[in-house]
Amino acid sequence: FDYKKHLYRNKIFYLFKADKIELISKNTRLRYSIKQKMIKHIDNIGKSTSYVKALVIGNDDEFKESIADSYQFNGVSHLFAISGSHITFLSIIILWFLKRIRVEENKRYYIVIFILIFYMFLTDYAGSVMRSVVFFSLLSLNKMYYFHIKTINILQLTLFVLLIFKPSLLYDVGFQFSFLISLYLVKYQPFISSIKNYIKQTFIISLIAFLVSIPICINNFFQINLLSPIINVLCVPYVRFILFPLSFLCLLFPFLDNLIFLFVIVL
């Protein structure tokens, strides 16, 4: 691992130590104010703060090292990173709500795209989130205006757009996982859709993701977990349909803190 190259790719060119920090002025932009208030609100939730931060804004830095290592060893650390499944779930919920209040279809998609772009900002433009948001936006435009572009071509266009704006994403491990797995899931979508049993379908998706991610895992972490596809069959629905929605509900209802922590302990 080359730390200097890692910093350079993230546009960090100098490291220094400061004896003191003096506040010169505050950033009064609305989006930064909203983000700061959200972070402070999450910090005050309680025992499940680190998990809510990971699942809502993609910040998993507050996990204890032993817990983070355990998740990585068991091949489930990706579940606590904002990915395509999280963005899809969030989009479906918002689209459903807008449909219920009778917002026109095109307007629904534009509203969701706007919310997701802001959400991309909240997650500090993480590679996997950018891929998911841009991909969803292009898919939505394709559907709204009947361009009839194949999904795999839209995925390639997403890659092209993102690398034009931020070439260093190519070296981002989360971005590599996200794109490579998405590519193969799109490629084998007809086969996946033909499987009607949800458990079998989840296992096939997990197996494809596992096989595709092996080269990246070996290259970056020097280890793989052969039980990962089986573990993911159990953990993916658990995180996607229980922990992830509860984390968002906890922003509105902090008293759910103990409930989320209970589900986390089970995991």
Side-chain angles (χ1 to χ4, degrees):
F1 177 70
D2 193 320
Y3 187 51
K4 184 177 180 180
K5 284 184 178 179
H6 170 74
L7 293 176
Y8 185 79
R9 288 164 186 160
N10 286 278
K11 297 186 178 181
I12 300 171
F13 307 110
Y14 298 96
L15 295 176
F16 65 90
K17 292 182 179 179
D19 294 324
K20 66 174 183 176
I21 299 174
E22 181 181 347
L23 179 65
I24 298 172
S25 62
K26 290 185 178 181
N27 192 330
T28 56
R29 294 179 187 175
L30 180 61
R31 57 178 179 165
Y32 284 97
S33 299
I34 293 172
K35 181 176 182 176
Q36 196 59 37
K37 286 179 181 178
M38 182 176 288
I39 292 172
K40 285 183 178 179
H41 180 67
I42 295 173
D43 285 336
N44 293 324
I45 285 175
K47 292 183 288 186
S48 61
T49 290
S50 58
Y51 292 92
V52 175
K53 267 192 177 180
L55 289 166
V56 173
I57 59 175
N59 184 354
D60 59 359
D61 295 338
E62 295 188 13
F63 282 154
K64 291 181 180 178
E65 188 174 345
S66 59
I67 294 175
D69 289 343
S70 173
Y71 288 150
Q72 185 173 319
F73 177 77
N74 288 306
V76 296
S77 57
H78 65 93
L79 297 176
F80 293 97
I82 308 297
S83 63
S85 61
H86 298 85
I87 297 297
T88 301
F89 184 85
L90 190 61
S91 303
I92 289 171
I93 294 298
I94 298 171
L95 285 170
W96 174 84
F97 174 75
L98 293 173
K99 187 176 181 179
R100 294 286 292 179
I101 60 175
R102 298 183 179 180
V103 177
E104 292 178 14
E105 185 178 22
N106 282 14
K107 288 182 180 179
R108 291 201 298 264
Y109 281 104
Y110 279 121
I111 291 171
V112 173
I113 289 171
F114 176 78
I115 293 172
L116 291 181
I117 290 172
F118 179 71
Y119 188 59
M120 196 162 60
F121 162 73
L122 289 179
T123 58
D124 292 327
Y125 302 102
S128 57
V129 178
M130 290 177 69
R131 195 278 306 167
S132 303
V133 171
V134 173
F135 186 49
F136 174 84
S137 301
L138 293 176
L139 281 174
S140 300
L141 293 171
N142 187 47
K143 181 180 179 180
M144 284 189 291
Y145 296 106
Y146 305 101
F147 291 137
H148 302 294
I149 302 173
K150 291 181 179 179
T151 305
I152 197 164
N153 291 337
I154 292 178
L155 185 63
Q156 291 171 345
L157 180 60
T158 302
L159 177 65
F160 175 77
V161 169
L162 289 175
L163 290 182
I164 285 292
F165 284 100
K166 194 176 180 182
S168 62
L169 279 173
L170 190 62
Y171 301 99
D172 184 285
V173 176
F175 186 78
Q176 292 172 10
F177 275 125
S178 183
F179 252 102
L180 202 59
I181 291 171
S182 296
L183 175 65
Y184 278 86
L185 290 179
V186 169
K187 184 178 178 62
Y188 291 105
Q189 185 58 41
F191 171 67
I192 294 169
S193 300
S194 68
I195 303 170
K196 302 304 178 185
N197 184 288
Y198 177 76
I199 295 176
K200 288 182 180 178
Q201 189 181 75
T202 304
F203 175 73
I204 292 299
I205 292 172
S206 298
L207 183 61
I208 292 171
F210 170 70
L211 293 173
V212 169
S213 63
I214 285 176
I216 302 174
C217 285
I218 292 175
N219 185 56
N220 290 281
F221 309 117
F222 311 105
Q223 64 181 16
I224 56 171
N225 188 336
L226 296 176
L227 294 176
S228 182
I230 297 172
I231 294 171
N232 276 286
V233 169
L234 301 172
C235 294
V236 167
Y238 189 81
V239 172
R240 183 183 298 174
F241 300 119
I242 297 177
L243 283 184
F244 185 63
L246 276 176
S247 297
F248 273 90
L249 285 174
C250 198
L251 293 177
L252 300 174
F253 309 108
F255 62 82
L256 292 173
D257 172 47
N258 289 326
L259 180 62
I260 292 178
F261 194 70
L262 178 64
F263 281 114
V264 166
I265 291 173
V266 173
L267 183 65

